[in-house]
Each structure stands twice: as structure tokens, then as C-alpha cells.
Amino acid sequence: MFREVINTISPYIPGKPISEVKRELGLEKVIKLASNENPLGPSENVKKAIKESLSDLGFYPDGNCTELKLKLAKKLNVKPTQIIFGAGSDEITQFIASIFLNPGDNSIMARPSFPRYETVTKVMGGLPVEIPLKNHTHDLDEFAKHINERTKIIWICNPNNPTGTIVKKDELYSFIKSVPSEIAVVVDQAYREYIDDPEYPDATQWLYEFKNLIVLQTFSKIYGLASLRIGYAIASEEIIEKLNRVRPPFNVNHMAQVTAIAALEDTEHIQKAKELNKKSLEFFYKSFEEMNLQYIESYGNFVMVDLKKDAVEIFKKLLLKGIIVRPGDIFDMPTYIRVTTGLESDNMEFIKALKEVL
Ligand SMILES: Cc1ncc(COP(=O)(O)O)c(C=O)c1O
């Protein structure tokens, strides 16, 4: 009855929702530092836009996201026809797999990295080729060695989730240039807005040079709209036109569209989130150093720290104290946890709890 490949796919394991932990453990207060959301949530502008949008909820949304697309195209300096929106950038990974992969084709990705690249490849009957990270970073030399005539997509998560490491400008540029033009290169920049480092490349700048390049971005992270599900891809008009053929007609809801418009205009809120994240990372690093714990320096809003103990056990103990983090077992890093930066008080409570459970 079921396709054989379905049995090889593990369901996505999300960070535990706050409501579930409260219910299961009978806790009143729970701090979630597990899914790389912005702890400030959306801005006041966004909340106002939500209220204003309530009168339109009975209508189907604009499937083309016209107003948002025009605004975003202007901001990014690309044509509106170079953008497609998804119910999260996650949904767009499915579109990408479905327009490029025939059964037996392969796609190349790092391991550990964002797990959806593997899943969407398998769903299409494709073969995920997973290249181990080197020094917690994409090993693009190995990527290049694994390209063959069945390779259709290369996924580069920059910065990488879960390690927070980046591929720097020159290296990324040379790699993309070396990839045959009939293979799609996807650069997932979900955490791009957190980064100021001049060595970090925004791959959007290369879209005119590389017609096989697709850049993924999202409103779920710094913009604080994770629950509304909206992300986007920027690519050549040809690729976007093909992606639109497989996109469900009303995939991005109206509230997501109006809030994304409001969020785009909200530079102050973004700056605030960025500063908070920077401070939080510094606090985590300092605390980990005091505790003699090794961590991987991160360009995102999360950090992997090595507890030198079974991380699932520590995860469970932290949960009992009302703190949700991500154990590293699912990333083949069984002694690490990944912790998202939170509000100042949340970060302090996490460190206090971590000291206790260790
Ligand atoms: C690297 C990366 N890409 C994509 C996503 C998915 O984001 P979205 O909420 O836009 O589907 C995430 C979410 O954690 C992520 O870490």
C-alpha cells in the first residue's frame, strides 16, 4: 500500500512545544530554548497588522503574495519574478526537491545539517549524499568530489544548523562557480540577518552570475514570525517559474503576508533582536568557559555545547526544571546540546539549571 521509501523516512522531531511540557510535567513556567526562534517575538508593528488583518480572514489569501513580493523585491534589489514564498522556507525545500529530483537522482548535503534536505530528497525517491562536517563546517572539497551525473541539488546551510558555522565568501564563491550549471545550488540563509561579519557572504549578490543558484530565507527567525509560517526563495526567473508550478495555490496565509510586510519595515526591532542575540551568545560563551565546557562558536542565534555526558539525559533533567533545549543525538553529536539564545533572564535560568544538573 505504501511506497517503500516512506519506511526509510523518520518523522521530523521538533523542539518540544511549551504547552506540551507544561501539561506533561505540570509546570507553570517553561522556557523554550530549542527551536531558534526570536525570544522577543514579533514587533508591535506586526501585532498591529494582525489586528487590522482580522476583517479579511474569511477570504482566500493572495496566492501570489503580490504586495509583499513587490516590497521584498525592492529591498533585495531583485525582480519580483525572482521570488517565491512558502509556508516557511521548509515548504520551499519540498518544491525544490520536486522540480529537480527523479527517482535515483542524488542531492548532496552536510551532516549534521538541517534535516529537511535529507527528507525531501528521500520523498522524491532520491539519494541523500551526506558529507561529514570538517571542524564543524561544510567540507566543500568533499562535496565537489561527490558530484556525479545523477547529482541534481547541492544544499549549503549557511550558517549551518546545528553547528552555527559559516562557509566564508571566497570559498563559497569558488565552490558555486565550480559546480556544473545544470545542478541547483541551494544556499539556506535562515539566520542571515543575525550576521555582520564581512567574511559572511549573502549569496543573493551572485544570483545574476549563477542561474542555478537558489537562496532560501525566512521570517521565522529574527523577524519572530515562526508560528505564521512564511519564508521565501530568491533565484533566476526560470527556476522561480518552475517552483510556482508545484506550489499549492494558497500556501501562504493572509496573516503571514501582512505581518511579513510589517516586519520588513521594522528595522529597529531587528536591531534589538540582533543586539540581544550578541549579548546572549557572549553570556553563554563566558558561562561555558567558567564551567570548563567546550562550545562551537556560532553565527546564528543558537550554540552547540559539549557536556561530555549523554545529552539526552541532561535534556530530560533540564526539562524537569522547565527548560527545553535540543539534545545533539539527532545530529550525531550525542554529548552536545543545542541551546537557542533567549531573553536575558531565560539565559541566566538556563545556565543555573545546567550547573545544577551537571
Ligand atoms: C537552516 C534552516 N533552514 C530552514 C529552516 C526552516 O525555517 P522555516 O520556519 O522558514 O520553515 C530552519 C528552521 O529551524 C533552519 O534552521
Side-chain angles (χ1 to χ4, degrees):
M1 181 177 178
F2 302 106
R3 289 168 60 214
E4 223 170 87
V5 71
I6 298 305
N7 295 323
T8 72
I9 297 170
S10 319
Y12 183 74
I13 307 167
K16 269 183 174 290
I18 291 175
S19 54
E20 187 185 314
V21 176
K22 278 187 178 170
R23 200 172 47 244
E24 277 180 5
L25 300 175
L27 294 169
E28 283 204 351
K29 186 180 172 211
V30 169
I31 297 170
K32 185 181 180 208
L33 303 173
S35 301
N36 306 344
E37 296 118 333
N38 176 351
L40 298 173
S43 68
E44 289 308 313
N45 258 359
V46 165
K47 290 179 193 162
K48 202 165 135 247
I50 289 181
K51 281 192 198 131
E52 285 166 9
S53 75
L54 291 177
S55 57
D56 296 322
L57 291 190
F59 298 103
Y60 283 101
D62 170 6
N64 183 47
C65 303
T66 312
E67 193 183 340
L68 173 61
K69 195 177 283 186
L70 291 173
K71 287 230 157 80
L72 187 63
K74 205 164 165 203
K75 180 173 175 206
L76 299 172
N77 202 17
V78 297
K79 293 183 196 156
T81 42
Q82 288 184 269
I83 300 176
I84 184 171
F85 292 92
S89 51
D90 181 20
E91 188 187 35
I92 303 177
T93 62
Q94 296 172 43
F95 303 163
I96 292 171
S98 69
I99 68 165
F100 292 115
L101 294 174
N102 278 312
D105 287 340
N106 70 63
S107 83
I108 303 179
M109 65 207 70
R111 185 176 182 97
S113 190
F114 187 51
R116 296 293 293 161
Y117 314 142
E118 181 197 0
T119 306
V120 297
T121 299
K122 283 184 170 175
V123 169
M124 294 309 298
L127 182 73
V129 177
E130 297 178 283
I131 310 293
L133 297 177
K134 189 172 160 188
N135 301 325
H136 305 302
T137 310
H138 281 65
D139 184 353
L140 294 185
D141 290 340
E142 277 304 309
F143 271 55
K145 285 184 201 155
H146 283 79
I147 293 174
N148 63 28
E149 66 288 350
R150 298 301 303 264
T151 304
K152 296 292 160 60
I153 309 170
I154 295 172
W155 308 89
I156 299 170
C157 190
N158 206 30
N160 189 43
N161 177 6
T163 51
T165 51
I166 61 164
V167 180
K168 294 189 174 162
K169 194 170 184 171
D170 292 349
E171 192 190 355
L172 187 57
Y173 178 81
S174 315
F175 176 75
I176 299 173
K177 206 171 164 68
S178 75
V179 173
S181 59
E182 61 279 7
I183 300 173
V185 178
V186 180
V187 181
D188 184 345
Q189 304 189 156
Y191 303 93
R192 169 186 129 51
E193 294 87 355
Y194 285 103
I195 309 175
D196 279 329
D197 191 321
E199 291 259 49
Y200 174 76
D202 173 5
T204 314
Q205 66 189 297
W206 301 320
L207 284 168
Y208 286 95
E209 187 172 353
F210 303 118
K211 299 296 175 207
N212 55 335
L213 176 62
I214 304 173
V215 178
L216 286 180
Q217 296 206 170
T218 182
F219 284 95
S220 299
K221 305 300 176 185
I222 209 164
Y223 289 103
L225 303 184
S227 85
L228 288 167
R229 312 304 303 127
I230 177 162
Y232 56 97
I234 326 153
S236 66
E237 288 181 289
E238 188 191 5
I239 289 180
I240 296 297
E241 193 270 330
K242 295 289 192 287
L243 290 171
N244 264 315
R245 292 177 189 226
V246 297
R247 180 180 64 75
F250 304 110
N251 61 324
V252 178
N253 70 73
H254 178 64
M255 217 175 253
Q257 295 183 38
V258 296
T259 51
I261 292 169
L264 270 184
E265 288 163 2
D266 228 346
T267 41
E268 232 175 78
H269 187 71
I270 301 306
Q271 195 51 35
K272 206 166 138 193
K274 224 162 120 169
E275 279 161 22
L276 173 64
N277 183 54
K278 191 164 174 269
K279 267 196 184 161
S280 303
L281 283 176
E282 281 163 7
F283 172 71
F284 281 166
Y285 296 165
K286 190 170 139 278
S287 306
F288 296 151
E289 280 160 22
E290 281 166 12
M291 295 163 79
N292 251 331
L293 297 175
Q294 297 212 319
Y295 57 90
I296 306 169
E297 231 171 281
S298 173
Y299 287 80
N301 62 343
F302 52 89
V303 56
M304 288 291 267
V305 56
D306 188 359
L307 307 176
K308 302 269 184 237
K309 286 187 178 168
D310 180 359
V312 175
E313 287 305 311
I314 305 291
F315 159 77
K316 286 181 188 159
K317 286 181 182 165
L318 287 171
L319 211 54
L320 291 173
K321 290 178 176 288
I323 294 175
I324 319 172
V325 296
R326 248 338 169 56
D329 56 327
I330 52 162
F331 303 119
D332 309 329
M333 297 170 83
T335 61
Y336 283 77
I337 55 168
R338 191 194 68 194
V339 56
T340 304
T341 60
L343 297 173
E344 208 176 331
S345 54
D346 297 344
N347 298 337
M348 280 159 61
E349 286 208 33
F350 159 69
I351 292 293
K352 182 170 165 272
L354 185 63
K355 281 182 180 160
E356 286 164 10
V357 300
L358 284 177

